[in-house]
Amino acid sequence: MDIQKQLQQEFSLKPWQIENTLKLIDDGNTIPFIARYRKEATGSLDDQVLRELNDRLAYLRNLEEQKEKVIASITEQELMTDEIMQAIDGAKTMTELDDIYRPFRPKRKTRASVAKAKGLGGLADRILEQNKADVPAELAKDYLNDEVESIEDALQGARDIIAESVSDNADDRKLLRYAIRSNGVITTKGTDDDLGVYEMYADYSEPVKSIAQHRTLAINRGEKEGKLKVAIDFDKSIATDLLISRHVINTSACAQQVIEAIEDAFTRLIFPSVEREIRNEITDKANETSIKVFGENTRNLLMQPPVKGRVTIGLDPGYRTGCKVAVVSGTGKVLDTGVIYPAPPHSKIDEAKKIIKALVKKHGVQMFAIGNGTASHETEVFAAEVIKELDCGITYMVVSEAGASVYSASKLAAEEFPQFDVSLRSAVSIARRLQDPLAELVKIDPKAIGVGQYQHDMPQKELGAALDGVVEDCVNSVGVDLNTASPQLLSRVAGVSSAVAKNIVKFREENGHFTSRSQLTKVSKLGPKAFEQCAGFLRVAESDNVLDNTAVHPESYKAASQLLKICGVTDEDIREGNIATLKLKVKTDGTSALAAELGIGEPTLIDIVDELSKPGRDPRDELPQPMLRSDVMGIEDLKAGMELKGTVRNVIDFGAFVDIGVHQDGLVHISQIANRYIKHPSDVLKVGDIVTVWVISADAQKKRISLTMKNPNK
């Protein structure tokens, strides 16, 4: 297989794009670095396309390795033919390769292998010839021996050999797999009377070719939990007729033996195997889609705009153990901590108000971040009352606690806050999640963030790799302050390992703040390749060189400085935003001519100009700000038709969950998202979007809220 040509066709890219990208990958460059700083080489492919291409490259190379092993095995058995070699070379998937290799793979003891050991291979061959003059019983007499005592034993053994031969036929399996995919039906049956969340699958069926992916995952989980029995229903006669048409050549007595063998082959050997393969296929497809949705949700959550520079009180709600309080400065430093008891069973509301008001006045608190766990609603009501009584413009937001307890009990949290107990660490994390979601959430395993569906049922290795890629892309697209970043944030920068991240922090502690990017070369174990990969993503606001606080890579400093000189723009002009002459020069000369003069590519020039326009910019600041509240509602306050503003918290296959400020997220079903057909909710919505919704229904007892984005008044 020509891998480059295959990738070119699959991704609809030009040969030079594939060739250059593969070389960059093979040379050890990271995806963020390639996406940002090698646009001329790749044709400006973005990080998501590059990751998909990299994954596909790994699959195809693995396929080629497996082909070599199969060829070696068949050749060693002295069974290789030109036809088999051609089939192997043309195999496009692992499944196709497995079908080709099946007859040659060393097998455990089977009915066919036992029959062959008894010397019945010749009888099977004679029967397969289907000569009209042959009588199977007469043929069988020649094969009777001490191990084959009767004619029926001989014929049964021959049929077993024929059945396995049919089962091992790659073309037969390919045809049947296609037929079952196209016409098979997934069926489910409940195993007991109380199916709980699987009630709809008590007696359910849906075509294999069209089953919704979230239902595939739900059915799989129900089967795993012993609540459901799952099978694929397929008309056996279609399969046997297909096989008979391929292997039976007449109506002779021998042909009847072949037909019996075919029916046995399908029922006993082929269908159970193909059924398992197809279920694995649709599960893999569902997993792949869910991982993508999870990744996209995680990306949007991490890229939520930070609420910068505001002193924040983080509240980790609780009943018996109270609500933990942490006051965090605008730069994330912990200023104060405490515990209050505004919720039952203590209900010390007045005392709690006194403590919070004192902290607000002492530290100039500007907003509250409230965890959404146990006692969250009561704490939200309490916070709203305090805000109303203070009447000083404070707002609040309910923040997802997903993963906070995991982080708080981790070795990392213990190292960061050795003086605090687990619950107080959670309060700090909740406050920081509102201030800068990306910087705080990188400390948590992305699988624990909780913005997907059925994440615990997915292949954890693939899920982890995909989410790690998302986190890496987010961190590098935003950039990292070299002088304030935690080791966890630094370790997500392209080219920076966990060990090097710790060395950067150690260097910072021993030598004071970095004053230039070039100082990175003095960090232990940060060699030239690592510097090349990471330098452009690390910001040094304190540097005398304004370029050190931009995404301009040090390799382009000479070109950037020359550009500034040509335009008569100084570093001070850049810091103050006086770049009108720079933009005029680019507009007048055009990017092509100017790039040629500077000896760089047009994409690099455009990026340099963009960065010089907003040094130190945070791309998240350009997104809609998070929705902060000052009052509170309960689910019991909701009425059908009520119009509300809400924040999208999770996007899944069948809809989106929206926080409308009543502690229970409401579901907007996919059918209620738009007045047109949409294939997936992510076509319209993403995590963090601020949307207008209308209440369809609200059930306080079941804690279910149904919402619509279709204006009922139009």
Side-chain angles (χ1 to χ4, degrees):
M1 180 190 296
D2 185 333
I3 290 179
Q4 289 194 22
K5 189 174 182 180
Q6 182 74 18
L7 291 172
Q8 178 191 334
Q9 292 172 347
E10 290 183 15
F11 287 84
S12 301
L13 297 173
K14 296 180 174 62
W16 63 267
Q17 287 179 290
I18 295 294
E19 184 178 352
N20 291 345
T21 301
L22 265 56
K23 187 176 187 307
L24 287 165
I25 290 171
D26 288 340
D27 286 345
N29 294 288
T30 62
I31 297 300
F33 176 80
I34 297 171
R36 174 69 188 184
Y37 298 113
R38 293 295 180 263
K39 291 181 178 178
E40 287 85 359
T42 68
S44 298
L45 299 180
D46 65 30
D47 48 23
Q48 293 185 60
V49 172
L50 286 168
R51 288 193 188 280
E52 289 176 12
L53 196 153
N54 188 38
D55 290 344
R56 184 62 177 153
L57 172 64
Y59 178 89
L60 293 176
R61 283 180 171 172
N62 186 37
L63 178 60
E64 289 303 296
E65 287 179 16
Q66 291 301 118
K67 284 183 180 182
E68 290 177 9
K69 291 178 182 178
V70 167
I71 290 170
S73 176
I74 298 174
T75 302
E76 187 179 339
Q77 296 174 53
E78 299 182 353
L79 295 171
M80 180 61 74
T81 64
D82 291 342
E83 185 181 13
I84 294 170
M85 182 64 81
Q86 187 176 358
I88 292 172
D89 188 53
K92 294 289 195 293
T93 67
M94 291 290 188
T95 300
E96 286 182 36
L97 184 61
D98 189 60
D99 282 350
I100 296 164
Y101 186 45
R102 181 179 291 274
F104 309 100
R105 180 183 286 113
K107 291 182 171 68
R108 295 175 297 174
K109 187 176 180 180
T110 65
R111 281 165 50 172
S113 67
V114 171
K116 287 177 182 177
K118 292 178 179 179
L120 295 172
L123 177 59
D125 291 339
R126 286 293 302 274
I127 291 174
L128 273 172
E129 290 174 7
Q130 301 174 57
N131 291 322
K132 290 187 176 181
D134 286 340
V135 177
E138 291 300 319
L139 294 175
K141 288 178 181 179
D142 294 337
Y143 293 89
L144 298 178
N145 55 46
D146 291 342
E147 294 185 275
V148 185
E149 298 179 352
S150 69
I151 289 173
E152 182 51 39
D153 287 345
L155 292 176
Q156 181 61 61
R159 289 195 298 269
D160 288 341
I161 294 171
I162 295 169
E164 186 169 275
S165 173
V166 171
S167 173
D168 285 346
N169 186 292
D171 290 336
D172 288 346
R173 296 181 74 88
K174 187 174 182 178
L175 282 170
L176 288 174
R177 195 179 290 113
Y178 176 79
I180 296 170
R181 275 200 210 103
S182 303
N183 302 297
V185 175
I186 290 277
T187 63
T188 65
K189 299 288 184 183
T191 58
D192 57 47
D193 294 334
D194 183 16
L195 295 178
V197 295
Y198 305 111
E199 190 61 44
M200 72 169 284
Y201 300 112
D203 187 7
Y204 183 81
S205 63
E206 186 169 356
V208 170
K209 64 183 178 184
S210 60
I211 186 167
Q213 290 165 0
H214 66 274
R215 282 199 284 276
T216 295
L217 296 176
I219 285 168
N220 287 352
R221 178 181 284 185
E223 183 179 41
K224 187 177 179 181
E225 293 177 5
K227 295 287 186 179
L228 301 174
K229 285 187 176 179
V230 185
I232 293 180
D233 187 22
F234 182 71
D235 188 343
K236 178 182 175 181
S237 64
I238 295 176
T240 52
D241 287 349
L242 183 63
L243 292 173
I244 288 168
S245 69
R246 290 175 55 77
H247 294 281
V248 177
I249 59 177
N250 53 41
T251 58
S252 66
C254 285
Q256 291 304 310
Q257 293 290 319
V258 175
I259 290 172
E260 285 186 45
I262 284 173
E263 291 175 342
D264 174 52
F266 178 75
T267 304
R268 180 171 59 88
L269 300 174
I270 300 176
F271 184 72
S273 173
V274 172
E275 179 185 36
R276 185 166 57 251
E277 289 171 5
I278 290 175
R279 287 201 58 198
N280 286 339
E281 283 177 14
I282 62 177
T283 296
D284 288 345
K285 188 175 179 182
N287 284 334
E288 183 182 346
T289 301
S290 293
I291 287 172
K292 283 184 179 179
V293 170
F294 200 144
E296 192 58 30
N297 286 344
T298 300
R299 184 187 303 276
N300 292 322
L301 178 62
L302 293 176
M303 293 298 286
Q304 283 294 284
V307 185
K308 295 178 179 176
R310 297 196 198 181
V311 181
T312 303
I313 285 183
L315 298 172
D316 181 14
Y319 288 117
R320 185 180 56 80
T321 57
C323 174
K324 276 61 68 178
V325 181
V327 184
V328 179
S329 74
T331 58
K333 181 182 178 182
V334 180
L335 303 175
D336 221 326
T337 61
V339 182
I340 57 176
Y341 299 90
H346 307 285
S347 300
K348 297 179 180 179
I349 296 174
D350 291 338
E351 178 186 298
K353 285 183 178 179
K354 185 177 179 181
I355 293 171
I356 295 298
K357 288 177 181 178
L359 290 173
V360 169
K361 291 174 182 176
K362 179 180 177 181
H363 300 289
V365 173
Q366 296 161 285
M367 63 182 181
F368 296 164
I370 304 169
N372 69 340
T374 305
S376 175
H377 183 64
E378 292 86 346
T379 305
E380 186 182 356
V381 171
F382 163 78
E385 289 178 1
V386 172
I387 288 170
K388 187 176 181 181
E389 291 172 13
L390 285 170
D391 193 24
C392 58
I394 293 176
T395 52
Y396 77 86
M397 184 172 176
V398 176
V399 177
S400 170
E401 291 183 22
S405 59
V406 176
Y407 160 73
S408 301
S410 69
K411 181 181 178 182
L412 168 61
E415 291 173 354
E416 191 173 7
F417 301 115
Q419 72 276 33
F420 298 148
D421 66 20
V422 172
S423 56
L424 285 175
R425 293 172 195 160
S426 291
V428 175
S429 179
I430 288 166
R432 287 179 170 179
R433 285 184 182 208
L434 180 53
Q435 292 178 323
D436 191 340
L438 180 58
E440 191 62 24
L441 290 173
V442 292
K443 301 173 184 177
I444 300 166
D445 181 345
K447 288 180 284 189
I449 293 175
V451 285
Q453 57 181 352
Y454 301 105
Q455 55 260 41
H456 300 297
D457 300 327
M458 295 178 208
Q460 295 303 293
K461 183 179 178 181
E462 287 85 344
L463 176 61
L467 295 183
D468 283 343
V470 167
V471 175
E472 184 181 42
D473 291 341
C474 290
V475 168
N476 289 286
S477 66
V478 170
V480 172
D481 189 325
L482 190 53
N483 285 321
T484 61
S486 66
Q488 295 72 41
L489 190 55
L490 287 167
S491 69
R492 296 291 190 169
V493 174
V496 178
S497 65
S498 295
V500 171
K502 290 177 182 176
N503 289 344
I504 291 173
V505 173
K506 184 179 179 182
F507 183 91
R508 195 169 68 196
E509 292 170 348
E510 293 175 351
N511 300 280
H513 279 183
F514 285 87
T515 56
S516 72
R517 273 176 174 161
S518 60
Q519 283 181 285
L520 279 167
T521 58
K522 299 177 181 178
V523 174
S524 175
K525 296 183 180 179
L526 200 156
K529 186 67 175 182
F531 179 81
E532 176 192 52
Q533 299 297 306
C534 74
F537 303 113
L538 294 167
R539 311 282 187 267
V540 187
E542 295 81 0
S543 176
D544 292 335
N545 186 344
V546 69
L547 298 177
D548 279 349
N549 196 34
T550 70
V552 176
H553 196 281
E555 66 185 12
S556 298
Y557 277 11
K558 183 179 178 180
S561 298
Q562 188 179 345
L563 174 65
L564 294 176
K565 188 175 181 180
I566 290 171
C567 300
V569 176
T570 66
D571 282 5
E572 198 57 37
D573 290 331
I574 296 297
R575 290 190 176 94
E576 293 178 2
N578 300 323
I579 59 166
T581 55
L582 171 63
K583 289 187 173 180
L584 180 62
K585 177 69 175 175
V586 174
K587 185 176 181 180
T588 303
D589 290 15
T591 55
S592 179
L594 201 50
E597 183 179 352
L598 296 171
I600 57 177
E602 283 189 70
T604 297
L605 173 62
I606 292 168
D607 283 347
I608 289 173
V609 173
D610 193 35
E611 285 299 316
L612 294 177
S613 301
K614 297 177 181 178
R617 70 172 181 155
D618 187 331
R620 297 174 297 172
D621 292 339
E622 299 170 10
L623 300 171
Q625 290 296 301
M627 188 170 160
L628 302 172
R629 303 179 184 276
S630 58
D631 57 358
V632 66
M633 284 198 312
I635 190 171
E636 63 279 357
D637 298 317
L638 299 178
K639 307 295 180 187
M642 185 181 288
E643 179 180 330
L644 299 161
K645 285 278 188 184
T647 303
V648 177
R649 293 299 181 205
N650 199 4
V651 178
I652 52 178
D653 288 348
F654 55 85
F657 287 99
V658 178
D659 173 10
I660 53 174
V662 296
H663 187 57
Q664 181 67 41
D665 291 347
L667 174 65
V668 183
H669 189 267
I670 186 171
S671 62
Q672 296 296 326
I673 290 176
N675 288 312
R676 56 184 174 83
Y677 170 77
I678 58 173
K679 191 173 181 181
H680 194 276
S682 59
D683 295 343
V684 176
L685 298 172
K686 64 179 185 296
V687 170
D689 279 351
I690 308 297
V691 296
T692 301
V693 295
W694 288 265
V695 177
I696 295 176
S697 62
D699 188 326
Q701 187 174 0
K702 292 183 178 179
K703 294 184 178 180
R704 289 181 184 171
I705 303 168
S706 181
L707 305 171
T708 181
M709 290 175 60
K710 299 177 181 179
N711 189 339
N713 301 316
K714 284 188 178 181

